[in-house]
Amino acid sequence: MQGEIETRRLIRDAVARLAPYTPMPPIERLAEGVGLPVERIIKLDQNENPYGCSLRVQEALAAHDRFHLYPDPEGRAVRRRLAAYTEMPAERILLGSGADELIDLLYLLTIDPGDEVIVAPPTFGVYKARAELFGATVVEAPRRPDFGLDLEAIGRAVTPRTKLITLVSPNNPTGNVASTEQLVRLLRLGPLIVLDEAYVEFAQRSALPLAREFDNLVVLRTFSKWAGLAGLRIGYGVFPLDLMPYLWKIKPPFNVNAAALAAVEATFDDLAYVRSTVVRLKVERGRLFRQLRKLNLLQPLPSQGNFLLCRVLRGDARTVRARLADLGIMVRGYDDPALEGYLRITVGRPEDTDLLVKALIAIAEHL
Ligand SMILES: Cc1ncc(COP(=O)(O)O)c(C=O)c1O
């Protein structure tokens, strides 16, 4: 490659225009950045399960003796387990290297240049960023001031070029859910609805049963949050049956690795354990909410995810976040103007809550 001009000529415009995505740094870098050992870092910034995966996962991986062979390209054993878990036919289930890959596959499947994708911000930023990368025009239908969906705005955003309406429920980062009535109204608009249920295990109910009634609903889920498998990268989607042959055509043949497949089987072998960690986190969500409310520094919003979006009441969000980071407590901040003054805090273990609250009390004294 010779020089900048030739390189730019090579690169697709959508890629050149794309704002770089900056994921959270790994825990080792976070620790190095604040000069603390990794064990002292309390990671409340990516909605991971602090209890980790089942021990059965570690045993299954240690005992696995076929890592030299390619994995099952169809992930049949895992899809059978998922069929039982979701009560949906295995023929409608596709696995991905995280839900993230399934979002890409949906765009790869549907987007011609200039097609439109509707998003309802503030929400998980990947939907907008990847849609633009795939050449779609993103049409925003912002949420209401209370972060509820604005159905009229979504309705108005639909045009003949609308390919997908993307929704997240419970929504990241606001924690609220779309009601069944809202979803039914949106499904009746016609375009394919992509409903991201990454956090559904922490919520009161799933909208997946609607996928039996409506053939324009895709539901995406992941093992990253509730099941403690974020590092292994595996998620799944339940799709309209008619889309499946096309998805099989475009999916990279071995997109989900053998370790992830084995880990999910082991997770289902020990579902009671994983579910017990979810129960603990839901209980802790309530305690964290009450503790934060007492402090009068952060105002948490009710949430059905494993995180709380909090409005910073005194000082500014950046300062509070930086002071927490200095103490080894990592929470999520935002550049998005719609989330100015907010921090998102993942629900941790009771001891994490205690240290967080102690740190916030100390920070509040010096604001
Ligand atoms: C709403 C939502 N969807 C999808 C993902 C990505 O999930 P995965 O780890 O399965 O790629 C996340 C992760 O933060 C998320 O918040």
Side-chain angles (χ1 to χ4, degrees), residues 68-317:
H68 60 296
L69 300 179
Y70 283 101
D72 176 0
E74 295 174 25
R76 265 166 297 194
V78 164
R79 285 170 49 238
R80 267 197 302 275
R81 303 298 289 264
L82 277 170
Y85 179 70
T86 60
E87 298 175 8
M88 296 298 286
E91 295 71 36
R92 292 184 57 181
I93 298 173
L94 190 81
L95 306 178
S97 175
D100 278 349
E101 190 195 27
L102 295 164
I103 297 170
D104 274 7
L105 285 179
L106 273 165
Y107 289 150
L108 186 62
L109 184 75
T110 58
I111 300 301
D112 282 318
D115 282 345
E116 292 169 4
V117 170
I118 296 176
V119 299
T123 191
F124 185 48
V126 165
Y127 282 96
K128 177 173 168 30
R130 305 302 288 186
E132 284 168 350
L133 176 61
F134 281 86
T137 300
V138 173
V139 182
E140 297 196 312
R143 287 167 177 265
R144 298 182 183 279
D146 67 355
F147 296 133
L149 288 172
D150 185 339
L151 297 201
E152 285 70 33
I154 296 175
R156 282 195 304 274
V158 174
T159 77
R161 295 228 68 169
T162 305
K163 279 286 179 75
L164 305 171
I165 300 175
T166 65
L167 300 171
V168 182
S169 180
N171 186 41
N172 172 12
T174 58
N176 55 331
V177 295
S179 69
T180 306
E181 295 72 39
Q182 288 180 318
L183 290 171
V184 167
R185 276 183 59 189
L186 294 173
L187 284 160
R188 292 202 172 118
L189 292 173
L192 188 65
I193 301 239
V194 181
L195 179 67
D196 183 324
E197 288 197 333
Y199 298 99
V200 76
E201 277 78 6
F202 301 100
Q204 278 162 5
R205 74 180 67 80
S206 164
L208 187 57
L210 290 174
R212 290 203 193 88
E213 262 177 79
F214 289 90
D215 59 9
N216 59 334
L217 178 62
V218 172
V219 176
L220 300 184
R221 298 221 185 133
T222 178
F223 290 92
S224 296
K225 311 298 179 179
W226 68 290
L229 296 179
L232 283 176
R233 314 300 305 126
I234 180 162
Y236 62 99
V238 178
F239 296 87
L241 198 55
D242 289 353
L243 291 186
M244 293 304 291
Y246 301 101
L247 284 161
W248 285 118
K249 263 208 282 199
I250 64 169
K251 175 186 92 68
F254 304 106
N255 60 330
V256 179
N257 69 72
L261 293 173
V264 167
E265 284 202 71
T267 298
F268 281 125
D269 288 340
D270 198 12
L271 200 53
Y273 163 80
V274 188
R275 285 194 163 137
S276 76
T277 70
V278 170
V279 169
R280 276 195 256 179
L281 290 168
K282 284 164 72 173
V283 170
E284 193 56 22
R285 175 175 68 196
R287 195 173 81 96
L288 176 63
F289 185 90
R290 291 188 296 275
Q291 297 267 355
L292 291 176
R293 274 245 293 238
K294 272 196 258 169
L295 291 185
N296 205 29
L297 171 62
L298 302 181
Q299 170 69 48
L301 271 62
S303 168
Q304 291 204 37
N306 64 337
F307 52 84
L308 296 178
L309 186 68
C310 304
R311 195 159 64 81
V312 178
L313 299 174
R314 284 194 285 141
D316 71 290

Side-chain angles (χ1 to χ4, degrees), residues 42 44 284 287-289 291-292 295 297-298 308 310 320-321 323-325 327-331 343-364:
I42 300 177
L44 306 178
E284 193 56 22
R287 195 173 81 96
L288 176 63
F289 185 90
Q291 297 267 355
L292 291 176
L295 291 185
L297 171 62
L298 302 181
L308 296 178
C310 304
V320 174
R321 181 170 177 233
R323 301 254 168 94
L324 283 171
L327 298 167
I329 302 174
M330 306 302 167
V331 302
L343 295 174
R344 189 194 69 196
I345 304 178
T346 302
V347 178
R349 298 160 297 182
E351 55 268 38
D352 301 325
T353 300
D354 293 343
L355 286 171
L356 170 73
V357 168
K358 220 171 111 188
L360 287 170
I361 290 170
I363 290 167

